C-alpha cells in the first residue's frame, strides 16, 4: 500500500483525536459532561420538540442511553420535557434558557477552535480542502455501500 496513504490517514485520525480532546476539555470546563454536551448540541440542531426515539435514531445510540442522558440534562436544568400535543404517549424535549446559554457558549468554543485550526488558510485553500475531503467521503460511501467487491478492487491499487 502507498506509504503516503498511510501518512495522510494517520494525520486525519490524529486531527480528529486532537480536536476531540480540545473540545472535550473546553466542554468539561463549562461544567457539563461531554456526552450530555453532544446531545444538547444535537437537540439544538434538530429543533424544538424531537422525541426520544428521534434523538436515538439521529445519534445512532440506544434509546436507553438517550433516556439516561436526557435525565441528566433535565436534572442539570438544561432541558425541559413536556407531553406531546399530538401523541400523549411521547415526551417532547425543549432546551431551557440555561441550555440555550450553554449552546451559545459551546458554539463560541467551536468557532474559536475552528479559527485556530484554519489560521493562515486562504479562501481558495479552504475550498480545495473541502473538495478533497468531500471526495474522500464520497469514496468511502461507495466503499461502504459496495461492500466486499469494492474492497477487492481497492486491494489491487
Amino acid at each position: 500500500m502507498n506509504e503516503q496513504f498511510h501518512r495522510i490517514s494517520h494525520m486525519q485520525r490524529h486531527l480528529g483525536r486532537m480536536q476531540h480532546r480540545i473540545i472535550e476539555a473546553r466542554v468539561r470546563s463549562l461544567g457539563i459532561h461531554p456526552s450530555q454536551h453532544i446531545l444538547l448540541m444535537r437537540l439544538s440542531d434538530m429543533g424544538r420538540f424531537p422525541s426520544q426515539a428521534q434523538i436515538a435514531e439521529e445519534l445512532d445510540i440506544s434509546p436507553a442511553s438517550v433516556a439516561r442522558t436526557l435525565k441528566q440534562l433535565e436534572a442539570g436544568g438544561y432541558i425541559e420535557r413536556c407531553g406531546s400535543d399530538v401523541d400523549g404517549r411521547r415526551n417532547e424535549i425543549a432546551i431551557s434558557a440555561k441550555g440555550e446559554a450553554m449552546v451559545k457558549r459551546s458554539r463560541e468554543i467551536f468557532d474559536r477552535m475552528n479559527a485556530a485550526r484554519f489560521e493562515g488558510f486562504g479562501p481558495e485553500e479552504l475550498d480545495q480542502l473541502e473538495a478533497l475531503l468531500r471526495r474522500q467521503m464520497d469514496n468511502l460511501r461507495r466503499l461502504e455501500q459496495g461492500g466486499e467487491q469494492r474492497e477487492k478492487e481497492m486491494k489491487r491499487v
Side-chain angles (χ1 to χ4, degrees):
M1 196 65 165
N2 187 323
E3 284 299 313
Q4 190 174 29
F5 290 172
H6 290 290
R7 287 193 310 271
I8 292 169
S9 292
H10 173 76
M11 286 189 292
Q12 287 178 317
R13 283 189 307 275
H14 191 67
L15 279 169
R17 286 191 303 268
M18 288 173 70
Q19 179 175 320
H20 180 80
R21 281 194 313 267
I22 291 166
I23 291 298
E24 190 170 285
R26 302 302 192 280
V27 165
R28 284 186 188 279
S29 74
L30 295 176
I32 189 170
H33 189 275
S35 65
Q36 294 172 16
H37 180 261
I38 290 168
L39 187 51
L40 185 63
M41 296 304 287
R42 181 57 66 198
L43 285 171
S44 176
D45 292 340
M46 290 177 77
R48 186 167 161 75
F49 293 117
S51 69
Q52 288 184 207
Q54 288 169 316
I55 296 166
E57 184 177 325
E58 173 77 16
L59 292 175
D60 194 27
I61 59 176
S62 74
S65 293
V66 170
R68 183 174 45 255
T69 305
L70 287 173
K71 282 181 186 176
Q72 294 166 341
L73 286 169
E74 187 175 24
Y78 298 106
I79 64 165
E80 299 165 348
R81 296 180 201 233
C82 56
S84 170
D85 292 339
V86 178
D87 183 351
R89 298 169 293 172
R90 126 181 173 188
N91 279 325
E92 292 181 335
I93 313 300
I95 299 176
S96 68
K98 181 178 179 181
E100 289 291 349
M102 178 64 71
V103 167
K104 183 177 185 266
R105 290 197 315 257
S106 296
R107 292 200 195 287
E108 291 167 355
I109 288 170
F110 280 102
D111 288 347
R112 282 194 305 272
M113 189 205 54
N114 284 329
R117 180 177 179 173
F118 296 108
E119 184 177 348
F121 283 68
E124 289 178 12
E125 290 171 308
L126 290 171
D127 288 343
Q128 185 178 27
L129 178 59
E130 183 177 9
L132 293 169
L133 292 172
R134 188 174 317 282
R135 199 158 84 201
Q136 279 189 335
M137 289 173 68
D138 291 343
N139 290 344
L140 289 176
R141 275 193 199 99
R142 281 193 300 279
L143 177 63
E144 187 175 49
Q145 292 168 354
E148 291 181 17
Q149 180 60 33
R150 181 74 174 144
E151 284 186 39
K152 290 176 186 175
E153 292 172 16
M154 294 295 290
K155 285 182 182 177
R156 286 188 239 141
V157 173

